[in-house]
Amino acid sequence: MDKVISFVLVVFICCICTGGNGQSAAGEIPSLKTVFKEDFLVGAALNRHQVNETDPMATACIARQFNTLTPENDMKAALIHPEWGRYNFTEADKIIAFGERHQLQINAHTLIWHSQLPAFVMHMHDKDSLQRFFKDHISVIASRYDGKVYSWDVVNEALNEDGTMRKSLFQRTLGDDYVVQAFQLAGQAAPHTKLYYNDYNIERPEKRAGAVALIRKIQAAGVRIDGVGIQGHWHLGRVPLKDIEESILAYAALGIDVMFTELDISVLPDPKGVEGADVNQQKGYNNALNPYAGSLPDSVQQQLARDYENLFRLFLRYKDKIGRVTFWGVNDGDSWLNNWPVPGRTNYPLLFDRQFNPKMAFNKVIALKTGTVTK
Ligand code: G3I
Protein backbone atom coordinates (compact mmCIF):
# COMPACT_ATOMS: atom_id res chain seq x y z
CA MET A 1 0.00 0.00 0.00
CA ASP A 2 2.90 2.31 0.91
CA LYS A 3 4.37 1.68 -2.53
CA VAL A 4 1.10 2.68 -4.19
CA ILE A 5 0.99 5.94 -2.20
CA SER A 6 4.64 6.71 -3.09
CA PHE A 7 3.93 6.06 -6.77
CA VAL A 8 0.91 8.36 -6.76
CA LEU A 9 2.97 11.04 -5.01
CA VAL A 10 5.79 10.82 -7.55
CA VAL A 11 3.36 11.04 -10.47
CA PHE A 12 1.70 14.06 -8.84
CA ILE A 13 5.02 15.89 -8.31
CA CYS A 14 6.11 15.13 -11.89
CA CYS A 15 2.85 16.58 -13.17
CA ILE A 16 3.39 19.79 -11.23
CA CYS A 17 7.04 20.10 -12.33
CA THR A 18 6.24 19.68 -16.00
CA GLY A 19 3.08 21.72 -16.07
CA GLY A 20 0.98 18.56 -16.20
CA ASN A 21 1.83 17.67 -19.77
CA GLY A 22 2.65 14.06 -19.06
CA GLN A 23 6.43 14.17 -19.45
CA SER A 24 8.44 12.46 -16.76
CA ALA A 25 10.83 14.40 -14.55
CA ALA A 26 13.76 12.70 -16.30
CA GLY A 27 12.43 13.94 -19.65
CA GLU A 28 11.35 17.31 -18.27
CA ILE A 29 10.39 19.86 -20.89
CA PRO A 30 13.27 22.27 -21.49
CA SER A 31 12.70 25.89 -20.60
CA LEU A 32 13.01 28.56 -23.30
CA LYS A 33 14.09 31.24 -20.81
CA THR A 34 16.83 28.98 -19.45
CA VAL A 35 18.07 27.65 -22.76
CA PHE A 36 18.33 31.17 -24.24
CA LYS A 37 19.37 32.96 -21.05
CA GLU A 38 22.74 34.05 -22.44
CA ASP A 39 21.16 35.21 -25.70
CA PHE A 40 17.92 37.19 -25.26
CA LEU A 41 14.81 37.33 -23.10
CA VAL A 42 11.93 35.10 -24.18
CA GLY A 43 8.36 36.19 -23.51
CA ALA A 44 4.68 35.84 -24.26
CA ALA A 45 1.66 38.09 -24.53
CA LEU A 46 -0.69 37.29 -21.66
CA ASN A 47 -4.45 37.64 -21.59
CA ARG A 48 -6.57 38.48 -18.56
CA HIS A 49 -7.34 34.84 -17.67
CA GLN A 50 -3.65 34.02 -17.54
CA VAL A 51 -2.89 37.02 -15.34
CA ASN A 52 -5.77 35.99 -13.06
CA GLU A 53 -4.25 32.49 -12.91
CA THR A 54 -7.55 30.75 -13.66
CA ASP A 55 -5.73 27.79 -15.27
CA PRO A 56 -2.88 26.25 -13.22
CA MET A 57 -1.40 24.65 -16.35
CA ALA A 58 -1.14 28.04 -18.02
CA THR A 59 0.53 29.53 -14.95
CA ALA A 60 3.01 26.64 -14.73
CA CYS A 61 3.88 26.93 -18.41
CA ILE A 62 4.36 30.71 -18.24
CA ALA A 63 6.50 30.56 -15.09
CA ARG A 64 8.67 27.78 -16.48
CA GLN A 65 9.12 29.06 -20.04
CA PHE A 66 9.23 32.85 -20.01
CA ASN A 67 11.09 35.69 -18.30
CA THR A 68 9.18 38.58 -19.85
CA LEU A 69 5.52 39.33 -20.54
CA THR A 70 3.49 41.79 -22.58
CA PRO A 71 -0.17 42.36 -21.66
CA GLU A 72 -2.13 41.44 -24.80
CA ASN A 73 -4.92 43.97 -24.18
CA ASP A 74 -5.31 45.33 -20.65
CA MET A 75 -3.00 48.36 -20.92
CA LYS A 76 -4.57 49.62 -24.16
CA ALA A 77 -6.28 53.00 -23.97
CA ALA A 78 -9.88 51.76 -24.28
CA LEU A 79 -9.44 49.59 -21.20
CA ILE A 80 -7.11 51.60 -18.97
CA HIS A 81 -8.61 55.04 -19.71
CA PRO A 82 -12.29 54.39 -20.54
CA GLU A 83 -13.65 57.88 -19.87
CA TRP A 84 -12.31 61.42 -19.85
CA GLY A 85 -10.23 61.78 -16.69
CA ARG A 86 -11.19 58.30 -15.40
CA TYR A 87 -8.58 55.58 -15.40
CA ASN A 88 -9.10 51.91 -14.58
CA PHE A 89 -5.86 50.48 -13.26
CA THR A 90 -7.32 47.29 -11.79
CA GLU A 91 -6.16 44.89 -14.50
CA ALA A 92 -2.88 46.70 -15.16
CA ASP A 93 -1.98 46.54 -11.46
CA LYS A 94 -2.65 42.79 -11.52
CA ILE A 95 -0.23 42.47 -14.41
CA ILE A 96 2.47 44.20 -12.35
CA ALA A 97 1.77 41.86 -9.42
CA PHE A 98 1.85 38.80 -11.71
CA GLY A 99 5.23 39.90 -13.09
CA GLU A 100 6.63 40.33 -9.59
CA ARG A 101 5.20 37.00 -8.39
CA HIS A 102 6.72 35.01 -11.24
CA GLN A 103 9.80 37.16 -11.94
CA LEU A 104 8.79 38.27 -15.40
CA GLN A 105 10.03 41.56 -16.79
CA ILE A 106 7.13 43.61 -18.18
CA ASN A 107 6.88 45.29 -21.55
CA ALA A 108 3.84 47.56 -21.29
CA HIS A 109 1.67 47.77 -24.40
CA THR A 110 0.79 50.40 -25.57
CA LEU A 111 0.48 54.16 -24.94
CA ILE A 112 -0.43 55.64 -28.33
CA TRP A 113 -2.23 53.47 -30.91
CA HIS A 114 -4.97 54.41 -33.37
CA SER A 115 -6.86 51.21 -32.51
CA GLN A 116 -8.71 50.26 -29.31
CA LEU A 117 -9.23 53.90 -28.43
CA PRO A 118 -11.92 54.80 -25.88
CA ALA A 119 -15.17 56.05 -27.44
CA PHE A 120 -14.70 59.57 -26.03
CA VAL A 121 -11.44 59.91 -27.98
CA MET A 122 -12.67 58.45 -31.26
CA HIS A 123 -15.20 61.24 -31.53
CA MET A 124 -12.77 64.04 -30.72
CA HIS A 125 -12.14 66.38 -33.60
CA ASP A 126 -10.64 69.49 -32.08
CA LYS A 127 -6.91 69.68 -31.64
CA ASP A 128 -6.96 71.13 -28.12
CA SER A 129 -9.02 68.29 -26.64
CA LEU A 130 -7.01 65.58 -28.37
CA GLN A 131 -3.75 67.24 -27.33
CA ARG A 132 -4.97 67.30 -23.73
CA PHE A 133 -5.98 63.65 -23.81
CA PHE A 134 -2.65 62.75 -25.42
CA LYS A 135 -0.59 64.55 -22.78
CA ASP A 136 -2.66 63.38 -19.78
CA HIS A 137 -2.84 59.79 -21.00
CA ILE A 138 0.89 59.41 -21.50
CA SER A 139 1.90 61.34 -18.37
CA VAL A 140 -0.50 59.68 -15.94
CA ILE A 141 0.01 56.10 -17.10
CA ALA A 142 3.73 56.18 -17.86
CA SER A 143 4.56 57.83 -14.52
CA ARG A 144 2.36 55.41 -12.54
CA TYR A 145 4.25 52.41 -13.87
CA ASP A 146 7.76 53.94 -14.05
CA GLY A 147 10.12 51.57 -12.29
CA LYS A 148 7.44 48.86 -12.30
CA VAL A 149 7.54 48.03 -15.98
CA TYR A 150 10.81 47.57 -17.85
CA SER A 151 9.64 49.15 -21.10
CA TRP A 152 6.75 50.73 -22.98
CA ASP A 153 5.63 50.39 -26.57
CA VAL A 154 5.20 54.17 -26.63
CA VAL A 155 3.80 54.36 -30.15
CA ASN A 156 2.30 51.41 -32.00
CA GLU A 157 1.73 51.07 -35.75
CA ALA A 158 2.16 54.69 -36.91
CA LEU A 159 3.21 53.74 -40.44
CA ASN A 160 1.56 52.69 -43.70
CA GLU A 161 2.95 49.81 -45.75
CA ASP A 162 4.79 52.22 -48.05
CA GLY A 163 6.57 53.82 -45.10
CA THR A 164 4.52 57.03 -45.05
CA MET A 165 2.74 58.16 -41.89
CA ARG A 166 -0.60 56.40 -41.29
CA LYS A 167 -3.47 58.90 -41.50
CA SER A 168 -4.63 58.09 -37.98
CA LEU A 169 -6.67 60.35 -35.72
CA PHE A 170 -3.41 61.44 -34.06
CA GLN A 171 -1.63 62.21 -37.33
CA ARG A 172 -4.62 64.04 -38.83
CA THR A 173 -5.26 66.15 -35.75
CA LEU A 174 -1.83 66.67 -34.18
CA GLY A 175 0.37 66.38 -37.26
CA ASP A 176 3.33 64.08 -38.06
CA ASP A 177 5.25 65.29 -35.00
CA TYR A 178 2.89 63.51 -32.63
CA VAL A 179 5.30 60.55 -32.53
CA VAL A 180 8.21 62.71 -31.36
CA GLN A 181 5.92 64.36 -28.79
CA ALA A 182 4.78 60.99 -27.49
CA PHE A 183 8.36 59.89 -26.84
CA GLN A 184 9.17 63.24 -25.25
CA LEU A 185 6.22 63.02 -22.86
CA ALA A 186 6.93 59.35 -22.08
CA GLY A 187 10.58 60.15 -21.37
CA GLN A 188 9.61 62.91 -18.93
CA ALA A 189 7.03 60.75 -17.17
CA ALA A 190 9.07 57.54 -17.09
CA PRO A 191 12.77 58.28 -16.85
CA HIS A 192 13.55 54.73 -15.66
CA THR A 193 11.61 52.94 -18.40
CA LYS A 194 12.87 51.90 -21.84
CA LEU A 195 10.90 53.49 -24.67
CA TYR A 196 10.14 51.60 -27.89
CA TYR A 197 8.50 52.05 -31.27
CA ASN A 198 6.49 48.93 -32.27
CA ASP A 199 5.02 47.98 -35.67
CA TYR A 200 4.30 45.08 -38.03
CA ASN A 201 5.93 44.48 -41.44
CA ILE A 202 8.74 46.92 -40.63
CA GLU A 203 11.18 44.28 -41.81
CA ARG A 204 9.92 44.95 -45.37
CA PRO A 205 12.24 47.37 -47.20
CA GLU A 206 9.71 50.15 -47.94
CA LYS A 207 8.15 50.20 -44.50
CA ARG A 208 11.56 49.71 -42.87
CA ALA A 209 12.81 52.87 -44.61
CA GLY A 210 9.86 54.74 -43.08
CA ALA A 211 10.60 53.34 -39.62
CA VAL A 212 14.30 54.20 -39.87
CA ALA A 213 13.38 57.76 -40.90
CA LEU A 214 10.89 58.04 -38.03
CA ILE A 215 13.43 56.82 -35.46
CA ARG A 216 16.07 59.17 -36.86
CA LYS A 217 13.60 62.04 -36.57
CA ILE A 218 13.02 61.26 -32.88
CA GLN A 219 16.76 61.05 -32.27
CA ALA A 220 17.44 64.26 -34.22
CA ALA A 221 14.95 66.08 -31.96
CA GLY A 222 17.13 65.07 -28.99
CA VAL A 223 14.35 62.82 -27.68
CA ARG A 224 15.04 59.41 -26.15
CA ILE A 225 14.06 56.23 -27.98
CA ASP A 226 15.65 52.99 -26.74
CA GLY A 227 14.43 50.34 -29.12
CA VAL A 228 12.28 49.07 -31.93
CA GLY A 229 9.85 46.17 -31.91
CA ILE A 230 9.43 44.19 -35.10
CA GLN A 231 6.12 42.51 -34.36
CA GLY A 232 6.72 39.34 -36.42
CA HIS A 233 3.26 38.20 -37.54
CA TRP A 234 4.43 35.86 -40.28
CA HIS A 235 3.08 33.01 -42.44
CA LEU A 236 3.98 29.36 -42.94
CA GLY A 237 6.72 28.86 -45.50
CA ARG A 238 7.03 32.60 -46.05
CA VAL A 239 9.05 33.92 -43.13
CA PRO A 240 11.09 36.74 -44.74
CA LEU A 241 14.51 35.80 -43.37
CA LYS A 242 16.51 38.10 -45.66
CA ASP A 243 14.34 41.12 -44.84
CA ILE A 244 14.57 40.27 -41.14
CA GLU A 245 18.35 40.01 -41.26
CA GLU A 246 18.70 43.33 -43.10
CA SER A 247 16.33 44.94 -40.62
CA ILE A 248 18.23 43.74 -37.56
CA LEU A 249 21.34 45.36 -39.02
CA ALA A 250 19.58 48.57 -40.12
CA TYR A 251 17.88 49.17 -36.76
CA ALA A 252 20.91 48.19 -34.69
CA ALA A 253 22.95 50.71 -36.71
CA LEU A 254 20.72 53.42 -35.19
CA GLY A 255 22.15 52.54 -31.79
CA ILE A 256 18.92 51.07 -30.38
CA ASP A 257 17.77 47.64 -29.16
CA VAL A 258 16.03 45.37 -31.63
CA MET A 259 13.18 43.15 -30.41
CA PHE A 260 10.74 40.67 -31.90
CA THR A 261 7.63 41.55 -30.00
CA GLU A 262 4.55 39.70 -31.28
CA LEU A 263 5.90 36.54 -32.87
CA ASP A 264 3.56 33.99 -34.43
CA ILE A 265 3.44 32.04 -37.71
CA SER A 266 -0.04 31.50 -39.16
CA VAL A 267 -0.50 28.13 -40.89
CA LEU A 268 -3.88 29.03 -42.46
CA PRO A 269 -4.63 30.40 -45.93
CA ASP A 270 -5.06 34.16 -46.14
CA PRO A 271 -8.31 35.45 -47.54
CA LYS A 272 -7.75 37.70 -50.56
CA GLY A 273 -6.72 41.26 -49.81
CA VAL A 274 -5.59 40.72 -46.21
CA GLU A 275 -2.18 42.15 -45.41
CA GLY A 276 -0.16 42.79 -42.26
CA ALA A 277 -1.85 42.73 -38.86
CA ASP A 278 -4.40 45.54 -39.03
CA VAL A 279 -7.06 44.41 -36.56
CA ASN A 280 -9.82 46.15 -38.53
CA GLN A 281 -9.59 43.72 -41.45
CA GLN A 282 -12.34 41.09 -41.10
CA LYS A 283 -13.48 38.47 -43.64
CA GLY A 284 -16.35 35.98 -43.66
CA TYR A 285 -15.88 32.33 -42.62
CA ASN A 286 -15.95 29.40 -45.03
CA ASN A 287 -14.63 25.83 -44.59
CA ALA A 288 -11.92 26.22 -47.25
CA LEU A 289 -10.35 28.90 -45.08
CA ASN A 290 -10.26 26.53 -42.09
CA PRO A 291 -8.59 23.36 -43.43
CA TYR A 292 -7.18 22.00 -40.13
CA ALA A 293 -10.22 22.26 -37.86
CA GLY A 294 -9.63 18.70 -36.56
CA SER A 295 -5.85 18.46 -36.37
CA LEU A 296 -2.68 19.68 -38.01
CA PRO A 297 -1.24 17.40 -40.74
CA ASP A 298 2.31 16.22 -40.08
CA SER A 299 3.66 17.93 -43.21
CA VAL A 300 2.43 21.31 -41.93
CA GLN A 301 3.77 20.62 -38.44
CA GLN A 302 7.17 19.93 -40.02
CA GLN A 303 7.11 23.09 -42.13
CA LEU A 304 6.22 25.14 -39.04
CA ALA A 305 9.14 23.53 -37.20
CA ARG A 306 11.52 24.37 -40.08
CA ASP A 307 10.29 27.97 -40.14
CA TYR A 308 10.83 28.45 -36.40
CA GLU A 309 14.20 26.68 -36.55
CA ASN A 310 15.43 28.97 -39.35
CA LEU A 311 14.11 32.04 -37.57
CA PHE A 312 15.76 31.23 -34.24
CA ARG A 313 19.00 30.32 -36.02
CA LEU A 314 18.96 33.86 -37.40
CA PHE A 315 18.09 35.33 -33.98
CA LEU A 316 21.04 33.48 -32.46
CA ARG A 317 23.39 34.78 -35.15
CA TYR A 318 22.46 38.33 -34.12
CA LYS A 319 21.92 37.76 -30.41
CA ASP A 320 24.25 40.67 -29.59
CA LYS A 321 21.69 43.00 -31.19
CA ILE A 322 18.45 41.33 -30.07
CA GLY A 323 17.14 42.05 -26.58
CA ARG A 324 13.92 40.05 -26.54
CA VAL A 325 11.76 37.61 -28.46
CA THR A 326 8.09 37.61 -27.39
CA PHE A 327 5.42 35.25 -28.71
CA TRP A 328 1.92 36.68 -29.19
CA GLY A 329 0.24 34.13 -26.90
CA VAL A 330 1.24 31.11 -24.83
CA ASN A 331 -0.46 28.20 -26.61
CA ASP A 332 -2.25 27.78 -29.94
CA GLY A 333 -5.66 28.07 -28.28
CA ASP A 334 -4.93 31.61 -27.01
CA SER A 335 -3.89 33.07 -30.32
CA TRP A 336 -5.69 36.06 -31.83
CA LEU A 337 -5.13 34.24 -35.17
CA ASN A 338 -8.03 31.88 -34.36
CA ASN A 339 -10.30 34.89 -34.88
CA TRP A 340 -8.44 37.15 -37.29
CA PRO A 341 -8.92 37.96 -40.11
CA VAL A 342 -11.62 35.26 -40.17
CA PRO A 343 -13.53 34.48 -36.97
CA GLY A 344 -13.87 30.92 -35.69
CA ARG A 345 -10.85 29.23 -37.31
CA THR A 346 -8.37 26.78 -35.78
CA ASN A 347 -4.83 28.06 -36.15
CA TYR A 348 -1.54 26.60 -34.84
CA PRO A 349 0.93 29.51 -34.80
CA LEU A 350 2.87 29.04 -31.53
CA LEU A 351 5.30 26.59 -29.91
CA PHE A 352 2.78 24.94 -27.53
CA ASP A 353 -0.38 23.10 -28.53
CA ARG A 354 -3.77 23.61 -26.89
CA GLN A 355 -2.85 21.24 -24.03
CA PHE A 356 0.50 23.04 -23.43
CA ASN A 357 2.47 20.19 -25.01
CA PRO A 358 5.61 21.40 -26.76
CA LYS A 359 5.31 21.07 -30.53
CA MET A 360 7.93 19.89 -32.99
CA ALA A 361 8.76 23.56 -33.57
CA PHE A 362 9.60 23.95 -29.87
CA ASN A 363 11.97 20.96 -30.01
CA LYS A 364 13.74 22.34 -33.09
CA VAL A 365 14.22 25.73 -31.49
CA ILE A 366 15.59 24.21 -28.29
CA ALA A 367 17.87 21.84 -30.25
CA LEU A 368 19.62 24.83 -31.83
CA LYS A 369 21.17 25.43 -28.41
CA THR A 370 21.35 22.00 -26.85
CA GLY A 371 22.16 19.99 -29.98
CA THR A 372 19.76 17.28 -28.83
CA VAL A 373 18.30 14.97 -31.44
CA THR A 374 14.59 15.71 -31.89
CA LYS A 375 11.76 14.32 -33.99
O1 G3I B 1 -13.12 42.11 -23.68
C1 G3I B 1 -14.14 41.96 -24.68
C2 G3I B 1 -15.22 41.06 -24.16
O2 G3I B 1 -15.82 41.66 -23.05
C3 G3I B 1 -16.21 40.80 -25.26
O3 G3I B 1 -17.16 39.88 -24.85
C4 G3I B 1 -15.51 40.24 -26.52
C5 G3I B 1 -16.47 40.05 -27.67
O4 G3I B 1 -15.83 40.28 -28.90
O5 G3I B 1 -14.51 41.16 -26.90
C6 G3I B 1 -13.55 41.36 -25.91
O6 G3I B 1 -12.56 42.24 -26.35
C7 G3I B 1 -11.73 41.77 -27.40
C8 G3I B 1 -10.29 41.76 -26.86
O7 G3I B 1 -9.43 41.43 -27.92
C9 G3I B 1 -10.11 40.76 -25.72
O8 G3I B 1 -10.36 39.47 -26.15
C10 G3I B 1 -11.84 42.73 -28.56
O9 G3I B 1 -13.14 42.62 -29.11
C11 G3I B 1 -10.82 42.39 -29.61
O10 G3I B 1 -10.83 43.38 -30.62
C12 G3I B 1 -9.45 42.36 -28.97
O11 G3I B 1 -8.53 41.97 -29.95
C13 G3I B 1 -7.18 42.27 -29.68
C14 G3I B 1 -6.65 43.19 -30.78
O12 G3I B 1 -5.26 43.39 -30.60
C15 G3I B 1 -7.31 44.56 -30.73
O13 G3I B 1 -6.94 45.25 -29.57
C16 G3I B 1 -6.40 40.95 -29.69
O14 G3I B 1 -6.82 40.17 -28.55
C17 G3I B 1 -4.91 41.24 -29.59
O15 G3I B 1 -4.20 40.03 -29.78
C18 G3I B 1 -4.50 42.21 -30.69
O16 G3I B 1 -3.13 42.51 -30.52
C19 G3I B 1 -2.54 43.37 -31.52
C20 G3I B 1 -1.48 44.20 -30.83
O17 G3I B 1 -2.05 44.92 -29.76
C21 G3I B 1 -0.83 45.17 -31.84
N1 G3I B 1 -0.30 44.46 -32.99
C22 G3I B 1 -1.25 43.55 -33.67
C23 G3I B 1 -1.83 42.57 -32.63
C24 G3I B 1 -2.72 41.56 -33.31
O18 G3I B 1 -3.83 42.21 -33.84
Side-chain angles (χ1 to χ4, degrees):
M1 191 61 189
D2 278 358
K3 276 189 182 156
V4 172
I5 291 171
S6 305
F7 176 75
V8 170
L9 205 62
V10 167
V11 169
F12 177 71
I13 289 167
C14 286
C15 275
I16 289 183
C17 292
T18 61
N21 57 24
Q23 297 223 353
S24 70
E28 203 172 76
I29 297 173
S31 152
L32 291 164
K33 71 175 177 189
T34 309
V35 167
F36 292 102
K37 74 171 183 299
E38 307 297 336
D39 307 312
F40 34 71
L41 298 173
V42 187
L46 301 191
N47 61 37
R48 192 177 292 186
H49 303 295
Q50 290 157 344
V51 170
N52 284 332
E53 304 197 21
T54 53
D55 176 356
M57 281 178 72
T59 309
C61 180
I62 294 161
R64 175 162 178 79
Q65 295 295 337
F66 304 112
N67 46 22
T68 169
L69 76 87
T70 301
E72 186 177 2
N73 285 302
D74 277 324
M75 291 177 103
K76 290 174 180 172
L79 298 162
I80 203 168
H81 192 173
E83 287 167 31
W84 185 267
R86 186 173 74 79
Y87 296 85
N88 180 357
F89 296 121
T90 311
E91 301 305 324
D93 287 353
K94 288 186 198 164
I95 291 161
I96 306 297
F98 183 95
E100 281 169 6
R101 205 156 51 244
H102 299 288
Q103 284 111 48
L104 284 99
Q105 191 179 87
I106 297 171
N107 175 62
H109 175 84
T110 169
L111 286 169
I112 296 298
W113 188 29
H114 62 277
S115 208
Q116 293 287 94
L117 283 170
F120 80 93
V121 178
M122 281 193 285
H123 303 121
M124 248 175 209
H125 295 298
D126 71 295
K127 189 172 174 178
D128 287 351
S129 305
L130 190 66
Q131 183 75 55
R132 209 177 123 199
F133 160 78
F134 186 82
K135 187 169 183 294
D136 290 354
H137 183 78
I138 296 174
S139 310
V140 170
I141 298 169
S143 62
R144 180 181 177 92
Y145 294 111
D146 190 32
K148 295 187 174 151
V149 301
Y150 179 76
S151 53
W152 265 107
D153 292 334
V154 176
V155 176
N156 194 44
E157 301 173 4
L159 294 166
N160 291 318
E161 293 305 288
D162 65 0
T164 58
M165 292 294 290
R166 184 192 285 272
K167 304 290 173 240
S168 68
L169 175 69
F170 297 113
Q171 190 275 344
R172 292 194 314 269
T173 318
L174 306 178
D176 282 355
D177 281 351
Y178 85 87
V179 176
V180 177
Q181 285 170 27
F183 277 86
Q184 193 163 31
L185 289 165
Q188 285 160 3
H192 310 100
T193 307
K194 301 276 186 196
L195 308 179
Y196 302 150
Y197 177 70
N198 191 54
D199 209 335
Y200 58 82
N201 287 350
I202 52 168
E203 70 282 359
R204 293 186 180 175
E206 252 193 320
K207 197 165 181 179
R208 183 203 311 153
V212 166
L214 187 62
I215 293 163
R216 283 213 178 108
K217 182 175 171 179
I218 298 166
Q219 293 174 324
V223 170
R224 178 165 68 90
I225 173 167
D226 300 298
V228 61
I230 300 171
Q231 291 186 5
H233 295 296
W234 289 311
H235 297 85
L236 190 80
R238 291 188 279 132
V239 177
L241 296 173
K242 182 167 169 284
D243 286 350
I244 297 168
E245 181 169 17
E246 288 172 3
S247 298
I248 295 169
L249 294 169
Y251 292 125
L254 299 171
I256 55 175
D257 285 349
V258 182
M259 279 139 307
F260 292 86
T261 53
E262 303 188 12
L263 181 56
D264 47 30
I265 300 177
S266 172
V267 305
L268 297 181
D270 292 329
K272 263 205 171 108
V274 170
E275 267 290 320
D278 192 325
V279 289
N280 297 316
Q281 300 180 88
Q282 283 291 332
K283 300 281 174 185
Y285 179 93
N286 68 60
N287 286 338
L289 291 172
N290 193 23
Y292 315 129
S295 64
L296 193 62
D298 205 44
S299 60
V300 183
Q301 193 80 263
Q302 285 176 22
Q303 178 67 56
L304 184 71
R306 277 197 297 279
D307 284 350
Y308 268 115
E309 183 182 21
N310 290 333
L311 190 55
F312 272 75
R313 188 178 291 116
L314 184 65
F315 291 165
L316 285 171
R317 192 176 314 145
Y318 293 104
K319 62 185 183 183
D320 58 321
K321 300 178 170 48
I322 297 173
R324 166 167 64 90
V325 176
T326 297
F327 293 88
W328 206 241
V330 177
N331 81 24
D332 286 340
D334 310 322
S335 172
W336 71 297
L337 291 170
N338 294 306
N339 288 304
W340 183 93
V342 176
R345 296 200 296 178
T346 307
N347 214 327
Y348 302 81
L350 298 168
L351 296 189
F352 295 93
D353 72 14
R354 287 167 166 75
Q355 284 72 45
F356 297 97
N357 296 308
K359 293 159 64 177
M360 194 187 292
F362 174 92
N363 294 333
K364 290 287 183 196
V365 162
I366 294 285
L368 286 169
K369 287 287 291 186
T370 60
T372 45
V373 180
T374 55
K375 339 182 246 171

